[in-house]
C-alpha cells in the first residue's frame, strides 16, 4: 500500500531583499497514497515550495511533513538524502539529464545508491527504459534525443529505484502539446499500473486533467481540491 | 562514488582536460628535473673522496700555478701522491658543437688516486706509456664511436699548435666510473705532451698548471696537509688555496650562483602557477555542473559525495599529469645526464625524485579540488536546480 502524504500546519518563509515572504501559511493537506495529484495555483502560491518540502529538498519552518510514518522534519541532511534515494523520484521541467552520460547511465545513476550489483543496475535501467518505450535509445546521449524522449528518460530515472512518490515540477512545460500528452499518458500509466503517488506542479489545465485530483493553492493556503474522477464519473 | 561519472566528466571536456593534464605533466617534469639537479649536486659533493685535496691559485681558478710548485708541495709530510690537472678546453674536430672536458694529467699518479675509475677497454699501461695517448670516458667513446687505437683530432683553444693543425691523441684506454665524483665523459692525456709541445715551440699556451691534486696518505691529517701547503706559499710568490675535493666541487658549482636555492625558487614558482591553473579548471568545472550537482543531490547523493566527486576529478587530472610528467622525465634522463655529465656526474632521477613528483601532483590535485568540492558540498539543492544551464 502506497504511503499517504500528510502536511500539518506547515509554514515556510523566505527572505528576499530584506523582506520576509510567507510562501506557505499554516498549510494543512492530506494526500492519499497511490493517487495522481496535480498542484495548481498562481505564481507565488507555494506550489514548488510544497513540492520541495514533500521531496525532502527543503524543510518547513514549522509544522510537519510526513510521508507514511516518516516525519521529514526529524531527518538530518544526510538522512534526508538517503530517504530521497529510496522513496522519491523527481521529474523536472528542464529534464536535467547529465549530458556526459547515456540514457541508460542516467537511469543507472540513482541505482548506484541502491545495494545492487553492476549487472542488476544495468538490467533495472534497461527494464525501466523499456517501460517508457526508449530501450532502443538507451545508448544515446541526451543531446541525441528529442525533448519528449529526454523527459521519458528523466521519468525512467525517477522510477528506477521504484520509489513510492513521484514529484514532477512542470514536467511538460518545455514540450509541445503532442509530446506533452504522451508524457502525461506515461505518468498516468505509472500511477495506474505501478500505484505510484504522483504530485505534479502545473499551470496547464489540460495537464492537470490527467490527474485524479487537482489541489489549488492560493497565497500559501489550500484553496480547494477538485476530484477529476468524480467529474468524469469515475472513468479515467 | 560514481566512478563512471567522474571519468565521463573528465572526458566531457577533452581539450580542457588535456591542457590541464599537459600543464601538470610539464610542471612535474620540471620539478623532477630541478630536483634531480639538486640531488645530483648533493650526490656529487657527498661522493667526493676525503683523502683528495686540490691546490689552486688563491686568486682564482683561472690563474695557473707555477710548475715549480709541484716538487715543493710533494715534499709536505702526509702527501702520498701529487697529480697535475690542466684544463685543455679543446673542440673535437668532427663535432665542434659538442662538448666534453679534456685535461692534461700525470698518468703515473692519476690512476692510483682515483680508485673509482675502471678501465673497460684498452689498458692503462698503454695510456701511461705513450706520449700522445689519451684515456676517454665510456660515454664520450660511445657517443662518437671511438675505438682503441683510433686517433682523435682535437683543436686547441687555450693551447694551440703553431702549425695550425689540431692536436692528435690516440685512444689507448676507455674508462668507466662507479662514483658521482668522477664523470664518464672526460678525455685525459699526459700533461708532459702539452708541456713539451709548448717548451719546444710546437704549441702556444699558458705556462703553468691549473690545479694540483694531492692524495693524502692513510693516517695523515688532511687538515694539517692543507694548512702546511697554504702556509708554504703564504708569502708568495703566488699564494695558493688548498681545499678538500668536496669543497672544491662546491666552489666550482657556486661560480654559477646559489644553484640549489635558485632551483628551489624556480620549482616553487612552477608549482604556484600550476596550482592556480588546476584550481581555475576545477572551479570552472564546479560552476558548469551546478545543475548536475543539484540533480545528484535530489537523487539522494550526499553533500559529501558530490563534493568528493570534484576533489576526485582534480586528483585524477593531476595524477594523469604526474604519470605523463614522470614518464617524460624518465625518457629525458639519459639525454639530460649526457648534457650535464661534465659538471654534474651525479645527475639522475632517483626514487625519491619520482615520489616527489607524484606527491606534488597529489597535493596539488587535493588542494585545488578542495575549494570547488567544498562549494559543491555546501550548494543548496534547490538553488542549484534553479541555475540556468
Amino acid at each position: 500500500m502506497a504511503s499517504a502524504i500528510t502536511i500539518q500546519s506547515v509554514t515556510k518563509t523566505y527572505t528576499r531583499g530584506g523582506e520576509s515572504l510567507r510562501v506557505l501559511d499554516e498549510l494543512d493537506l492530506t494526500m492519499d497514497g497511490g493517487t495522481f495529484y496535480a498542484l495548481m495555483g498562481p505564481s507565488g502560491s507555494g506550489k514548488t515550495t510544497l513540492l520541495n518540502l514533500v521531496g525532502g529538498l527543503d524543510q518547513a519552518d514549522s509544522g510537519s511533513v510526513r510521508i507514511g510514518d516518516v516525519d521529514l522534519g526529524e531527518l538530518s541532511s544526510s538522512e534526508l538524502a538517503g530517504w530521497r534515494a529510496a522513496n522519491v523520484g523527481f521529474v523536472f521541467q528542464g529534464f536535467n539529464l547529465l549530458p556526459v552520460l547515456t540514457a541508460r547511465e542516467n537511469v543507472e545513476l540513482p541505482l548506484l545508491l541502491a545495494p545492487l550489483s553492476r549487472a542488476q543496475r544495468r538490467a533495472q535501467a534497461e527494464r525501466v527504459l523499456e517501460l517508457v518505450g526508449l530501450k532502443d535509445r538507451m545508448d544515446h546521449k541526451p543531446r541525441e534525443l528529442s525533448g519528449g524522449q529526454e523527459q521519458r528518460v528523466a521519468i525512467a530515472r525517477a522510477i528506477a529505484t521504484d520509489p513510492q512518490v513521484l514529484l514532477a515540477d512542470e514536467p511538460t512545460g518545455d514540450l509541445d502539446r503532442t509530446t506533452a500528452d504522451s508524457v502525461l499518458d506515461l505518468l498516468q500509466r505509472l500511477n495506474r499500473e505501478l500505484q505510484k503517488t504522483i504530485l505534479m506542479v502545473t499551470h496547464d489545465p489540460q495537464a492537470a486533467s490527467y490527474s485524479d485530483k487537482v489541489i489549488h493553492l492560493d497565497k500559501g493556503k489550500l484553496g480547494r481540491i477538485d476530484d477529476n474522477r468524480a467529474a468524469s464519473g469515475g472513468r479515467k | 562514488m560514481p566512478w563512471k561519472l567522474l571519468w565521463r566528466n573528465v572526458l566531457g571536456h577533452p581539450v580542457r582536460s588535456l591542457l590541464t593534464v599537459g600543464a601538470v605533466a610539464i610542471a612535474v617534469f620540471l620539478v623532477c628535473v630541478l630536483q634531480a639537479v639538486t640531488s645530483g649536486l648533493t650526490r656529487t659533493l657527498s661522493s667526493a673522496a676525503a683523502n683528495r685535496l686540490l691546490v689552486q691559485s688563491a686568486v682564482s681558478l683561472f690563474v695557473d700555478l707555477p710548475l715549480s710548485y709541484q716538487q715543493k708541495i710533494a715534499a709536505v709530510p702526509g702527501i702520498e701522491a701529487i697529480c697535475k690537472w690542466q684544463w685543455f678546453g679543446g673542440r673535437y674536430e668532427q663535432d665542434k658543437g659538442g662538448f666534453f672536458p679534456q685535461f692534461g694529467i700525470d698518468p703515473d699518479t692519476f690512476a692510483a688516486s682515483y680508485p673509482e675509475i675502471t678501465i673497460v677497454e684498452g689498458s692503462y699501461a698503454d695510456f701511461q706509456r705513450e706520449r700522445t695517448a689519451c684515456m676517454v670516458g665510456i660515454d664520450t667513446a660511445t657517443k662518437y664511436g671511438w675505438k682503441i687505437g683510433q686517433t682523435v683530432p682535437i683543436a686547441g683553444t687555450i693551447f694551440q699548435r703553431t702549425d695550425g693543425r689540431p692536436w692528435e691523441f690516440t685512444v689507448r684506454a676507455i674508462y668507466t666510473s662507479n662514483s658521482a665524483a668522477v664523470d664518464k665523459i672526460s678525455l685525459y692525456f699526459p700533461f708532459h705532451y702539452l708541456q713539451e709541445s709548448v717548451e719546444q715551440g710546437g704549441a702556444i699556451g699558458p705556462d703553468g698548471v691549473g690545479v694540483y691534486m694531492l692524495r693524502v696518505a692513510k693516517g695523515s691529517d688532511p687538515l694539517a696537509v692543507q694548512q702546511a701547503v697554504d702556509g708554504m706559499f703564504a708569502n708568495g710568490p703566488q699564494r695558493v688555496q688548498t681545499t678538500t675535493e668536496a669543497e672544491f666541487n662546491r666552489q666550482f658549482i657556486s661560480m654559477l650562483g646559489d644553484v640549489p636555492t635558485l632551483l628551489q625558487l624556480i620549482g616553487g614558482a612552477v608549482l604556484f602557477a600550476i596550482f592556480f591553473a588546476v584550481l581555475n579548471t576545477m572551479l570552472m568545472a564546479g560552476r558548469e555542473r551546478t545543475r548536475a550537482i543539484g540533480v545528484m543531490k535530489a537523487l539522494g547523493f550526499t553533500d559529501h559525495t558530490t563534493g568528493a566527486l570534484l576533489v576526485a576529478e582534480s586528483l585524477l587530472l593531476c595524477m594523469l599529469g604526474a604519470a605523463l610528467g614522470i614518464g617524460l622525465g624518465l625518457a629525458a634522463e639519459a639525454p639530460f645526464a649526457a648534457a650535464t655529465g661534465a659538471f654534474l656526474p651525479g645527475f639522475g632521477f632517483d626514487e625519491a625524485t619520482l615520489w616527489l613528483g607524484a606527491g606534488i601532483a597529489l597535493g596539488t590535485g587535493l588542494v585545488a579540488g578542495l575549494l570547488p568540492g567544498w562549494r559543491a558540498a555546501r550548494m543548496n539543492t534547490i538553488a542549484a536546480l534553479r541555475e540556468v544551464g
Side-chain angles (χ1 to χ4, degrees):
Chain A
M1 169 116 184
S3 307
I5 300 170
T6 312
I7 314 290
Q8 279 185 321
S9 302
V10 164
T11 297
K12 182 70 187 176
T13 306
Y14 291 113
T15 306
R16 276 185 200 146
E19 272 188 46
S20 197
L21 186 67
R22 183 169 282 206
V23 183
L24 293 178
D25 187 7
E26 299 281 336
L27 180 68
D28 286 304
L29 179 63
T30 301
M31 290 175 263
D32 301 325
T35 305
F36 186 171
Y37 288 92
L39 195 53
M40 297 190 78
S43 293
S45 59
K47 304 183 295 292
T48 299
T49 301
L50 178 59
L51 199 76
N52 290 336
L53 292 176
V54 172
L57 296 178
D58 204 352
Q59 295 210 307
D61 297 335
S62 63
S64 72
V65 177
R66 300 180 75 87
I67 315 290
D69 297 331
V70 181
D71 184 343
L72 300 190
E74 289 177 357
L75 301 182
S76 67
S77 164
S78 58
E79 286 170 336
L80 267 177
W83 176 83
R84 278 198 302 273
N87 298 287
V88 190
F90 288 92
V91 181
F92 307 96
Q93 180 177 350
F95 323 134
N96 282 339
L97 298 176
L98 302 198
V100 292
L101 300 180
T102 63
R104 182 174 50 75
E105 289 162 349
N106 263 288
V107 176
E108 274 189 60
L109 196 58
L111 295 170
L112 291 172
L113 300 166
L116 297 174
S117 69
R118 194 176 165 183
Q120 286 172 318
R121 283 200 305 268
R122 195 183 172 113
Q124 172 67 355
E126 288 178 13
R127 195 181 70 77
V128 289
L129 277 167
E130 191 169 20
L131 195 68
V132 301
L134 280 177
K135 195 177 177 191
D136 58 331
R137 310 287 286 170
M138 68 181 182
D139 291 324
H140 290 253
K141 294 250 175 90
R143 66 170 180 274
E144 297 160 349
L145 301 172
S146 68
Q149 288 172 331
E150 278 195 79
Q151 194 58 299
R152 282 169 176 274
V153 174
I155 292 170
R157 182 179 64 186
I159 60 170
T161 55
D162 195 22
Q164 306 167 57
V165 180
L166 208 54
L167 302 175
D169 193 357
E170 298 271 14
T172 57
D174 284 355
L175 303 175
D176 61 62
R177 186 74 263 161
T178 312
T179 313
D181 285 341
S182 73
V183 166
L184 290 162
D185 272 334
L186 176 61
L187 288 175
Q188 198 176 52
R189 193 154 58 86
L190 294 173
N191 166 248
R192 300 285 152 80
E193 293 173 10
L194 303 177
Q195 283 74 51
K196 302 289 177 202
T197 306
I198 300 179
L199 183 57
M200 175 181 72
V201 168
T202 183
H203 281 103
D204 177 12
Q206 195 170 334
S209 71
Y210 281 81
S211 65
D212 299 323
K213 292 183 179 180
V214 183
I215 300 166
H216 294 270
L217 288 184
D218 187 23
K219 294 177 184 166
K221 289 181 179 292
L222 180 63
R224 65 177 197 280
I225 299 178
D226 294 333
D227 191 334
N228 284 338
R229 289 174 298 193
S232 62
R235 56 170 176 84
K236 279 194 62 95
Chain B
M1 175 70 71
W3 297 109
K4 188 173 276 181
L5 180 60
L6 168 67
W7 188 243
R8 290 292 175 81
N9 280 336
V10 169
L11 296 178
H13 290 276
V15 176
R16 188 170 71 193
S17 296
L18 267 179
L19 289 174
T20 309
V21 167
V24 174
I26 290 168
V28 168
F29 170 72
L30 278 176
V31 168
C32 283
V33 169
L34 295 175
Q35 179 60 28
V37 171
T38 309
S39 10
L41 289 173
T42 311
R43 257 197 303 276
T44 303
L45 296 179
S46 62
S47 304
N51 68 338
R52 289 195 293 254
L53 300 175
L54 290 137
V55 185
Q56 66 175 85
S57 165
V59 178
S60 161
L61 184 59
F62 301 104
V63 175
D64 285 345
L65 294 172
L67 288 167
S68 59
Y69 275 22
Q70 181 163 0
Q71 213 172 355
K72 292 176 186 170
I73 294 170
V76 171
I79 296 177
E80 198 171 49
I82 182 166
C83 175
K84 291 191 255 331
W85 274 73
Q86 179 60 51
W87 177 261
F88 183 68
R91 296 277 177 216
Y92 177 43
E93 283 288 275
Q94 267 69 48
D95 181 21
K96 290 191 173 166
F99 171 77
F100 58 90
Q102 309 102 32
F103 298 96
I105 47 104
D106 290 332
D108 291 346
T109 50
F110 183 83
S113 302
Y114 289 91
E116 299 96 328
I117 283 178
T118 309
I119 302 299
V120 290
E121 270 187 70
S123 86
Y124 192 82
D126 290 347
F127 164 61
Q128 213 169 354
R129 201 176 302 125
E130 196 173 320
R131 188 169 162 262
T132 59
C134 71
M135 174 176 74
V136 294
I138 189 162
D139 287 356
T140 297
T142 306
K143 180 181 176 184
Y144 295 117
W146 291 346
K147 304 288 177 212
I148 297 297
Q150 182 174 341
T151 300
V152 177
I154 308 274
T157 53
I158 302 168
F159 295 92
Q160 294 178 342
R161 288 176 60 93
T162 49
D163 59 8
R165 298 179 59 201
W167 295 79
E168 290 190 335
F169 301 103
T170 308
V171 180
R172 291 298 176 204
I174 295 173
Y175 75 89
T176 189
S177 157
N178 61 9
S179 163
V182 181
D183 66 59
K184 291 186 267 190
I185 62 168
S186 293
L187 180 148
Y188 299 98
F189 61 90
F191 176 82
H192 58 85
Y193 174 38
L194 193 64
Q195 186 186 5
E196 286 162 13
S197 299
V198 172
E199 284 173 359
Q200 290 162 11
I204 52 166
D207 188 22
V209 65
V211 172
Y212 288 109
M213 187 284 302
L214 314 180
R215 176 157 48 95
V216 178
K218 207 170 179 182
S220 297
D221 179 10
L223 186 63
V225 171
Q226 203 173 329
Q227 286 168 343
V229 174
D230 286 350
M232 184 183 284
F233 303 104
N235 298 318
Q238 193 173 323
R239 289 191 301 114
V240 299
Q241 183 189 22
T242 308
T243 56
T244 59
E245 189 174 80
E247 178 60 15
F248 179 84
N249 289 344
R250 198 192 60 73
Q251 285 181 11
F252 186 73
I253 290 163
S254 69
M255 284 194 294
L256 302 170
D258 186 355
V259 178
T261 305
L262 185 69
L263 296 181
Q264 279 163 6
L265 283 174
I266 296 170
V270 168
L271 290 182
F272 202 62
I274 206 64
F275 167 72
F276 283 105
V278 178
L279 178 62
N280 187 44
T281 300
M282 293 317 301
L283 284 172
M284 276 169 64
R287 270 196 302 273
E288 278 171 9
R289 293 196 200 123
T290 301
R291 279 192 97 163
I293 290 165
V295 171
M296 288 187 71
K297 289 188 177 188
L299 293 178
F301 287 91
T302 59
D303 295 345
H304 176 260
T305 305
T306 47
L309 201 56
L310 278 165
V311 177
E313 184 174 335
S314 176
L315 280 171
L316 177 63
L317 288 172
C318 286
M319 293 319 289
L320 285 173
L324 189 60
I326 288 171
L328 278 175
L330 290 173
E333 185 179 13
F336 265 70
T340 59
F343 301 102
L344 206 57
F347 179 89
F349 290 154
D350 54 19
E351 206 173 310
T353 300
L354 301 180
W355 278 114
L356 177 77
I360 282 169
L362 189 74
T364 304
L366 187 66
V367 177
L370 278 178
L371 178 59
W374 177 76
R375 278 187 176 179
R378 301 248 310 166
M379 202 174 280
N380 179 281
T381 310
I382 297 168
L385 287 169
R386 281 200 194 117
E387 181 84 12
V388 177

